[in-house]
């Protein structure tokens, strides 16, 4: 329900809207919103009305109006339909600083925009606080204040200046900021002013009380101008400053000026206050004393009214240097003695730097260097230099060197060093040097064996630095500890640090250490190489990483090795180990190995190396080689034995087979043998016999029924033997056999048995070529065999005479058909019991032979050969010889006589 007050308010708004529509019928708008662009206090309720124009039909009235806030539909419960043309909206707790509210017509599911307005919310102004003013004489008067909370609405400020003695006389200054100024000539000087500020916006207004502020207390004038800053010749440590005051200042007031001077060498600042009378002293000056010699200073000035709280701004700075004085401190002198290539001369590199004394004496113009042999002061030499280094070439004597710095005011005290002779040996006073780092510092500590030594020199330089002048040094007094900023050391570079004890002008032997200011992992890894390869082990070698790429101290090496298609293994060794033997490897296996070098910051792996283990190692080869070598030695020994004992082995393994022509069982006509046409043809065509064409007859044994017979008829058995052995003969041999058969028969007695007294082998086929000898009957041979047992010595006397030599038949060599068709290997043995029989038994049974038993050694057997008969014979006869023989030491003398080599 609407209250009476709300109804009355709505009627008034409707009346206003109707009047506006009557007065402006030509304005074509669908609706109006009221109030337009309202500004309300934040957090309060917003009320708006949307009034439709008369051109809307009855089908479109206020009931069809909807409202949106920032394009979002407002809930219908906030609507209020007054009549057909007016719709009200109420938004509670409006907290938007700025928002857009829109009135729309909804008809037939369509939304038709009618009118919209922008709504702002804010706060009423707070009372301004902290009013302060600055008075620039004859320029302006400016006041500032603190407005308080932000209103978010347009707020206007008014500054009032009032005379307290005349409250009706006041001046105002309008602004929308927190500052306002009264400019000349509206800024008359008075000590009886008060100031007041009013703040105002649509939501309200606030006014401060009038605050009295005397102008002399808020006066601020322009900075003074420095005319000059000078030093007075002959007066040390003094500068004179002269400046000029500004013209626009309050007259008849005392002025205080503050002179600031800053030491540019140490950046140390001091202030000096000077009192002035504004009427008399437009130009003022003062002396700055207690300054450092030959030091640059920067000077600035500002001034203030002695009643004011505001200083003027600082004047522009001016620089000047004080008078110089002779240098008061010695230079820091150091030397590097280079090893001499000859005993007569050596290079001494001198380096120095001016002592950083406080205060400095002045600008150094140069340095004077003097040196002389220790025992020859009259030989002093002097050099001047503007540089801070020099190289002297000295002989083997000890020398005294001094360096002084000079400027326009004089020279510094001498810095002296003694250069010992090369033969001098200085004592080791420092036992140990330890270097370490922190986040910001490098710290070096040492232990000395001479507590009375109080002065030292710490020298440091890069390990790869070759220039002696590239070294740095610093003197340390009354301490065995030295600290320095770590930033002066390059990261990842190894530095050599040496500590020298000093006693007087002498320098003792140094102690040495190394350090990295910062470390990172090595730039490269070691390159692996394989040494001695084995079956189950290998030696891995690698070289040290170059010092420039280590980036830190190498702490260890890690060897990674992996068999093909296997698991990776690793071994870690110390940094001083550059080779390692990997064991328990698989034989005949390919491995990949890599080496990682590590320092405190990490590790880097080198390039991979591939190798393959051996199938056999030295021990295996050794165990294989020993039996082989032993076998070779045995073979060599056997060969040597065979060479030395060849005659003995020959008699044992290859005994001589006797020549049938030399048989005692039958006599061979020499002429028939010599004139044999076949042999002649053989000897004329070739000087040698092709033994490969010689065929050996197969065994031809008698039947068991004939084992008792003493003699075998040649005519009955020769066909058998011949038939067997001629199966493998060529047609050529068969032809020769039949053509020459009759000729051989003429020279032989029919059915004459013969005896073979030795073995025959192919290697002794040369015995086939023999001269014709007498053929003896078998009875004679038997007698000789039995007789040889009784007279062995007698037979031995004729051995040399009976042995045939090749030279004897070089011209009359005849082919022996007996040997050509002989059995491969035959033994003609006399019973081993032969020695047990008496000579008489032998003689009484000349034709008795033991029965033949196949495959039994040491028994008699029969050989049948074909003999070629002499040409012209009408018939051929053959004979077989049957003879007993033995291979034992008891063999007949005939065997020894007829043997052939």
């Amino acid at each position: 329900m609407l209250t009476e007050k709300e109804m009355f308010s709505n009627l008034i708004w409707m009346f206003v809207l109707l009047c506006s529509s009557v007065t402006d019928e030509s304005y074509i708008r669908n609706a109006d919103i009221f109030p337009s662009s309202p500004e309300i206090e934040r957090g309060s309720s917003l009320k708006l009305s949307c009034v439709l124009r008369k051109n809307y039909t009855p089908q479109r009235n206020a009931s069809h109006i909807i409202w949106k806030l920032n394009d979002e539909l407002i809930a219908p419960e906030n609507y209020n339909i007054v009549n057909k043309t007016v719709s009200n909206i109420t938004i509670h707790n409006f907290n938007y600083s700025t928002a857009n509210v829109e009135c729309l017509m909804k008809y037939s599911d369509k939304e038709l925009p009618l009118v919209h307005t922008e709504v702002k919310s804010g706060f009423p102004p707070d009372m301004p606080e902290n009013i302060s003013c600055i008075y620039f004489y004859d320029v302006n008067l400016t006041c500032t204040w603190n407005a308080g909370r932000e209103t978010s609405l347009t707020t206007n400020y008014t500054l009032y200046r009032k005379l307290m003695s005349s409250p009706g006389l006041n001046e105002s200054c309008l602004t929308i900021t927190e500052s306002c100024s009264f400019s000349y000539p509206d800024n008359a000087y008075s000590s009886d002013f008060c100031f007041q500020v009013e703040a105002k916006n649509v939501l309200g207004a606030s006014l401060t009380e009038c605050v009295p502020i005397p102008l002399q207390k808020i006066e601020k004038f322009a900075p003074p101008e420095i005319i000059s800053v000078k030093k007075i010749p002959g007066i040390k440590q003094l500068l004179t400053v002269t400046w000029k005051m500004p013209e626009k200042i309050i007259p008849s007031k005392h002025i205080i000026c503050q002179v600031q001077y800053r030491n540019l060498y140490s950046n140390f600042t001091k202030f000096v206050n000077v009192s002035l009378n504004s009427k008399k002293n437009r130009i003022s000056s003062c002396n700055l004393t207690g300054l450092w010699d030959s030091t640059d200073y920067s000077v600035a000035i500002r001034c203030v009214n002695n009643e004011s709280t505001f200083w003027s701004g600082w004047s522009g700075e001016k620089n000047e240097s004080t008078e110089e004085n002779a240098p008061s401190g010695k230079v820091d002198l150091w030397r590097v003695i280079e090893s001499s290539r000859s005993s007569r001369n050596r290079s001494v590199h001198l380096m120095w730097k001016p002592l950083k004394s406080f205060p400095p004496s002045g600008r150094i113009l140069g340095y004077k260097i003097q040196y002389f042999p220790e025992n020859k002061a009259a030989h002093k030499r002097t050099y001047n230099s503007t540089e801070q280094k020099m190289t002297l070439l000295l002989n083997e004597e000890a020398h005294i060197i001094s360096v002084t710095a000079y400027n326009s005011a004089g020279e510094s005290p001498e810095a002296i060093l003694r250069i010992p002779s090369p033969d001098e040996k200085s004592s080791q006073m420092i036992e140990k040097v330890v270097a370490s780092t922190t986040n910001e510092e490098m710290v070096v500590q040492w232990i000395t064996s001479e507590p009375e030594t109080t002065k030292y020199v710490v020298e440091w330089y890069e390990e790869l630095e070759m220039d002696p002048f590239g070294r740095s040094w610093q003197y340390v007094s009354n301490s065995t500890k030295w600290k320095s900023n770590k930033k002066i050391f390059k990261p990842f570079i190894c530095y050599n640090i040496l500590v020298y004890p000093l006693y007087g002008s002498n320098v003792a032997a140094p102690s040495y250490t190394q350090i990295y200011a910062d470390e990172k992992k090595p730039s490269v890894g070691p390159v692996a190489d394989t040494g001695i390869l084995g079956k189950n082990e290998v030696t891995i070698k690698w070289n040290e990483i170059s010092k420039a790429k280590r980036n830190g101290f190498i702490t260890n090496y890690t060897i990674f090795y992996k068999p093909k298609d296997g698991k990776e293994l690793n071994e870690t060794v110390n940094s001083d180990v550059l080779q390692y033997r990997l064991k328990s490897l698989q034989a005949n296996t390919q491995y990949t190995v890599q080496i990682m070098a590590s320092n405190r910051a990490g590790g880097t792996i080198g390039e991979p190396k591939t190798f393959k283990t051996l199938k056999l190692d030295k021990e295996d080869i050794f165990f294989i080689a020993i039996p082989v070598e032993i076998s070779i030695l045995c073979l060599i020994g056997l060969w040597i034995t065979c060479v030395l004992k060849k005659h003995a082995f020959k008699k044992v393994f290859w005994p001589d087979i006797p020549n049938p022509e030399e048989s005692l069982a039958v006599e061979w006509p020499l002429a028939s043998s010599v004139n044999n046409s076949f042999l002649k043809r053989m000897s004329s065509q070739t000087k040698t016999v092709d033994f490969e064409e010689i065929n050996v007859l197969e065994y031809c044994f008698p039947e068991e029924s004939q084992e008792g017979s003493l003699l075998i008829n040649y005519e009955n058995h020769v066909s058998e033997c011949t038939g067997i052995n001629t199966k493998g003969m060529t047609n050529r041999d068969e032809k020769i056999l039949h053509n020459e058969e009759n000729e051989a028969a003429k020279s032989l007695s029919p059915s004459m048995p013969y005896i073979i007294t030795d073995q025959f082998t192919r290697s002794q086929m040369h015995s086939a070529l023999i001269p014709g000898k007498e053929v003896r009957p078998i009875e004679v041979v038997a007698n000789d065999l039995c007789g040889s047992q009784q007279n062995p010595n007698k037979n031995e006397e004729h051995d040399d005479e009976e042995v045939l030599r090749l030279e004897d038949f070089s011209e009359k060599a005849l082919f022996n058909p007996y040997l050509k068709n002989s059995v491969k290997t035959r033994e003609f043995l006399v019973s081993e019991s032969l020695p047990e029989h008496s000579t008489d038994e032998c003689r009484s049974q000349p034709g008795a032979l033991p029965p033949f038993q196949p495959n039994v050694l040491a028994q008699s057997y029969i050989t049948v050969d074909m003999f070629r008969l002499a040409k012209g014979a009408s018939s051929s006869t053959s004979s077989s010889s049957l003879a007993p023989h033995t291979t034992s030491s008891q063999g007949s003398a005939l065997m020894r006589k007829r043997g052939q080599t």
Side-chain angles (χ1 to χ4, degrees):
M1 295 294 294
L2 296 175
T3 62
E4 293 181 358
K5 185 178 180 180
E6 291 176 344
M7 292 178 66
F8 181 74
S9 176
N10 290 333
L11 290 173
I12 292 174
W13 288 116
M14 290 175 64
F15 178 76
V16 172
L17 291 173
L18 288 172
C19 292
S20 62
S21 63
V22 170
T23 56
D24 191 10
E25 293 181 357
S26 61
Y27 184 74
I28 302 174
R29 257 191 337 183
N30 295 328
D32 293 298
I33 194 167
F34 185 83
S36 178
S37 301
E39 293 181 347
I40 65 174
E41 187 173 358
R42 190 166 299 169
S44 63
S45 296
L46 173 64
K47 294 181 179 181
L48 295 174
S49 297
C50 183
V51 180
L52 296 175
R53 294 283 179 96
K54 62 182 180 180
N55 55 348
Y56 266 83
T57 61
Q59 289 81 4
R60 298 180 184 179
N61 54 39
S63 63
H64 298 100
I65 292 176
I66 60 174
W67 295 84
K68 287 187 177 182
L69 176 63
N70 292 335
D71 295 329
E72 292 184 3
L73 184 65
I74 300 174
E77 56 265 21
N78 295 319
Y79 301 170
N80 181 23
I81 308 300
V82 178
N83 52 38
K84 293 182 179 181
T85 60
V86 179
S87 174
N88 294 338
I89 184 69
T90 301
I91 302 175
H92 301 283
N93 193 21
F94 189 87
N95 289 318
Y96 296 95
S97 60
T98 301
N100 185 51
V101 179
E102 189 175 10
C103 173
L104 302 93
M105 176 65 70
K106 187 174 183 181
Y107 185 77
S108 300
D109 297 331
K110 294 182 179 179
E111 294 180 357
L112 178 64
L114 297 176
V115 67
H116 67 88
T117 186
E118 183 181 60
V119 181
K120 294 182 179 180
S121 70
F123 304 96
D126 293 337
M127 183 178 291
E129 298 175 346
N130 301 326
I131 301 173
S132 63
C133 301
I134 297 176
Y135 176 54
F136 293 93
Y137 182 74
D138 286 348
V139 178
N140 62 39
L141 173 64
T142 302
C143 295
T144 60
W145 56 89
N146 184 5
R149 180 177 59 175
E150 174 64 35
T151 63
S152 300
L153 301 174
T154 303
T155 303
N156 297 316
Y157 297 93
T158 304
L159 174 64
Y160 298 100
R161 183 178 66 173
K162 299 179 180 179
L163 278 173
M164 288 187 297
S165 57
S166 301
L169 297 176
N170 57 69
E171 296 177 353
S172 62
C173 175
L174 297 176
T175 183
I176 59 174
T177 64
E178 297 179 348
S179 176
C180 196
S181 297
F182 297 96
S183 299
Y184 181 83
D186 295 331
N187 60 347
Y189 175 76
S190 174
S191 60
D192 195 20
F193 281 124
C194 71
F195 297 90
Q196 191 176 24
V197 177
E198 181 186 19
K200 188 176 182 180
N201 62 16
V202 295
L203 299 179
S206 62
L207 179 65
T208 66
E209 294 181 356
C210 194
V211 180
I213 301 176
L215 295 186
Q216 66 272 15
K217 291 186 177 181
I218 59 173
E219 181 187 21
K220 182 177 181 179
F221 43 80
E225 179 184 357
I226 296 178
I227 298 174
S228 65
V229 178
K230 294 181 180 180
K231 57 187 173 183
I232 300 175
I235 300 177
K236 310 293 184 182
Q237 303 177 351
L238 182 142
L239 290 175
T240 298
V241 182
T242 302
W243 68 94
K244 183 173 105 173
M245 293 298 296
E247 294 181 358
K248 293 182 178 182
I249 60 176
I250 298 176
S252 302
K253 296 295 181 181
H254 289 285
I255 303 299
I256 298 175
C257 290
Q258 188 177 67
V259 180
Q260 170 190 278
Y261 58 98
R262 181 164 53 92
N263 187 327
L264 298 181
Y265 184 81
S266 63
N267 205 29
F268 178 73
T269 302
K270 285 187 176 182
F271 300 91
V272 175
N273 292 333
V274 181
S275 296
L276 303 174
N277 191 323
S278 60
K279 287 184 178 180
K280 299 179 181 179
N281 299 325
R282 287 291 180 183
I283 296 177
S284 302
S285 65
C286 74
N287 292 327
L288 303 178
T289 59
L291 307 181
W292 291 0
D293 293 322
S294 187
T295 303
D296 292 332
Y297 285 88
S298 176
V299 180
I301 299 174
R302 68 178 180 173
C303 296
V304 66
N305 183 338
N306 62 346
E307 295 182 11
S308 177
T309 57
F310 297 104
W311 286 88
S312 70
W314 286 102
S315 66
E317 291 186 345
K318 279 200 172 184
N319 299 337
E320 187 56 72
S321 178
T322 57
E323 280 282 311
E324 287 187 347
N325 198 0
S328 59
K330 300 177 182 179
V331 300
D332 279 342
L333 177 63
W334 190 235
R335 88 292 180 274
V336 175
I337 302 174
E338 188 175 340
S339 302
S340 60
R341 296 182 180 179
S342 64
S343 60
R344 297 180 59 85
N345 296 312
R346 53 195 169 140
S347 296
V348 177
H349 306 282
L350 297 179
M351 300 169 283
W352 60 87
K353 49 191 174 183
L355 184 64
K356 295 182 179 180
S357 59
F358 290 93
S361 300
R363 187 172 64 89
I364 302 298
L365 300 177
Y367 303 92
K368 182 171 70 174
I369 301 96
Q370 294 180 320
Y371 68 98
F372 56 89
E374 186 175 29
N375 299 323
K376 300 175 183 179
H379 296 173
K380 181 182 291 187
R381 295 186 179 182
T382 303
Y383 293 97
N384 291 327
S385 175
T386 57
E387 297 182 355
Q388 296 180 3
K389 60 184 179 180
M390 177 175 282
T391 300
L392 301 177
L393 192 63
L394 305 181
N395 57 23
E396 68 276 7
E397 298 181 87
H399 281 72
I400 303 297
I401 298 176
S402 66
V403 177
T404 58
Y406 61 88
N407 60 11
S408 60
E411 295 182 357
S412 69
E414 289 184 331
I416 300 174
L417 278 180
R418 180 179 179 272
I419 307 300
S421 65
D423 299 332
E424 292 185 30
K425 301 297 181 182
S426 58
S427 59
Q428 187 72 45
M429 297 183 181
I430 298 178
E431 297 177 355
K432 184 179 180 181
V433 177
V434 178
S436 60
T437 60
T438 63
N439 291 335
E440 300 294 335
E441 290 182 326
M442 175 76 69
V443 181
V444 180
Q445 294 177 289
W446 58 91
I447 300 174
T448 178
S449 60
E450 299 291 338
E452 56 273 10
T453 303
T454 59
K455 197 170 185 180
Y456 304 90
V457 172
V458 179
E459 179 186 68
W460 67 93
Y461 58 93
E462 296 179 20
E463 184 180 19
L464 302 178
E465 178 63 66
M466 303 303 296
D467 183 9
F469 294 116
R471 303 188 182 192
S472 302
W473 77 97
Q474 186 172 332
Y475 280 79
V476 179
S477 298
N478 302 319
S479 178
T480 57
K481 186 176 183 180
W482 173 77
K483 294 182 179 180
S484 178
N485 193 328
K486 196 167 70 172
K487 293 181 180 179
I488 68 174
F489 294 86
K490 297 178 182 179
F492 323 128
I493 299 295
C494 182
Y495 280 86
N496 294 331
I497 298 180
L498 297 91
V499 180
Y500 294 82
L502 298 180
Y503 52 99
S505 60
N506 294 293
V507 181
S511 289
Y512 159 86
T513 189
Q514 289 184 318
I515 194 170
Y516 284 85
D518 289 296
E519 294 189 22
K520 68 177 182 179
K521 66 180 183 179
S523 301
V524 297
V527 178
D529 193 12
T530 55
I532 302 173
L533 279 170
K535 177 182 177 183
N536 302 110
E537 56 186 20
V538 65
T539 298
I540 304 299
K541 299 179 180 180
W542 61 92
N543 294 325
E544 289 184 309
I545 303 172
S546 64
K547 294 179 179 179
K549 297 181 180 179
R550 293 179 189 174
N551 302 328
F553 292 113
I554 301 300
T555 56
N556 58 67
Y557 294 100
T558 304
I559 306 163
F560 296 94
Y561 60 101
K562 177 184 177 183
K564 187 176 182 180
D565 302 328
K567 181 181 178 182
E568 186 177 69
L569 305 172
N570 66 81
E571 298 286 345
T572 301
V573 298
N574 294 331
S575 59
D576 57 344
V577 177
L578 295 178
Q579 67 176 25
Y580 186 78
R581 192 158 189 85
L582 298 177
K583 298 181 179 180
S584 302
L585 304 180
Q586 302 174 19
N588 195 29
T589 303
Q590 181 174 306
Y591 280 83
T592 300
V593 64
Q594 291 177 286
I595 310 296
M596 181 177 72
S598 301
N599 56 24
R600 290 189 299 178
T604 301
I605 299 178
E607 294 295 326
K609 172 73 175 181
T610 302
F611 67 90
K612 189 174 183 180
T613 52
L614 303 178
K615 289 184 178 180
L616 302 173
D617 57 9
K618 290 183 178 180
E619 295 181 356
D620 296 336
I621 297 174
F622 179 76
F623 286 119
I624 293 174
I626 285 180
V628 172
E629 291 176 356
I630 292 174
S631 301
I632 292 173
L633 292 176
C634 292
L635 292 175
I636 293 173
L638 181 61
W639 178 78
I640 293 173
T641 303
C642 291
V643 170
L644 297 178
K645 300 292 185 179
K646 63 181 180 178
H647 297 292
F649 282 112
K650 188 173 183 180
K651 290 180 180 180
V652 173
F653 296 104
W654 296 281
D656 295 333
I657 295 177
N659 191 339
E661 287 190 357
E662 296 180 358
S663 174
L664 301 178
V666 64
E667 288 191 11
W668 297 80
L670 181 61
S672 175
S673 299
V674 172
N675 294 327
N676 186 294
S677 62
F678 172 73
L679 295 179
K680 286 182 181 180
R681 187 164 57 252
M682 290 290 295
S683 62
S684 63
Q685 292 177 359
T686 177
K687 299 300 182 180
T688 59
V689 178
D690 187 359
F691 298 106
E692 297 300 328
E693 297 180 358
I694 299 175
N695 295 320
V696 180
L697 297 178
E698 296 182 3
Y699 289 102
C700 183
F701 298 108
E703 297 178 358
E704 292 182 0
S705 60
Q706 298 173 340
E707 288 181 358
S709 301
L710 296 176
L711 298 176
I712 300 174
N713 190 311
Y714 171 78
E715 292 177 355
N716 295 332
H717 295 284
V718 68
S719 59
E720 259 183 66
C721 297
T722 305
I724 294 172
N725 287 280
T726 55
K727 290 179 182 180
M729 293 174 61
T730 63
N731 293 331
R732 173 179 170 274
D733 292 338
E734 189 173 344
K735 182 179 180 180
I736 294 171
L737 177 64
H738 291 287
N739 291 338
E740 303 298 331
E741 194 174 23
N742 294 330
E743 294 182 7
K746 291 181 180 182
S747 59
L748 295 176
S749 298
S751 302
M752 181 64 67
Y754 62 94
I755 185 169
I756 304 301
T757 59
D758 210 337
Q759 294 183 5
F760 166 78
T761 63
R762 268 191 183 272
S763 63
Q764 295 169 322
M765 290 296 292
H766 291 285
S767 61
L769 298 177
I770 56 173
K773 294 292 181 178
E774 181 183 3
V775 180
R776 299 169 59 188
I778 191 171
E779 290 84 354
V780 179
V781 176
N783 293 334
D784 289 343
L785 179 62
C786 295
S788 62
Q789 296 179 1
Q790 298 176 358
N791 301 311
N793 295 332
K794 182 178 179 181
N795 292 331
E796 290 175 2
E797 292 177 359
H798 300 282
D799 282 349
D800 295 335
E801 297 177 2
E802 297 295 335
V803 174
L804 295 177
R805 301 182 183 275
L806 291 177
E807 292 85 347
D808 297 339
F809 51 84
S810 59
E811 292 294 334
K812 300 180 181 180
L814 298 176
F815 179 76
N816 190 339
Y818 170 78
L819 292 180
K820 175 178 183 300
N821 298 306
S822 162
V823 184
K824 295 179 181 178
T825 302
R826 302 189 181 105
E827 292 187 358
F828 298 86
L829 302 177
V830 178
S831 176
E832 292 181 358
S833 61
L834 184 62
E836 298 177 2
H837 294 80
S838 64
T839 308
D840 296 334
E841 290 175 349
C842 292
R843 289 177 179 173
S844 62
Q845 299 176 4
L849 293 175
F852 176 77
Q853 298 180 10
N855 300 326
V856 178
L857 296 177
Q859 66 176 335
S860 302
Y861 66 97
I862 298 171
T863 61
V864 180
D865 282 331
M866 180 72 66
F867 295 94
R868 290 169 173 74
L869 302 178
K871 290 181 180 181
S874 60
S875 63
S876 62
T877 59
S878 300
S879 64
S880 61
S881 299
L882 182 63
H885 183 62
T886 180
T887 60
S888 67
S889 59
Q890 299 175 352
S892 66
L894 180 62
M895 182 194 308
R896 292 193 303 271
K897 290 180 182 181
R898 303 294 180 248
Q900 299 178 10
T901 58

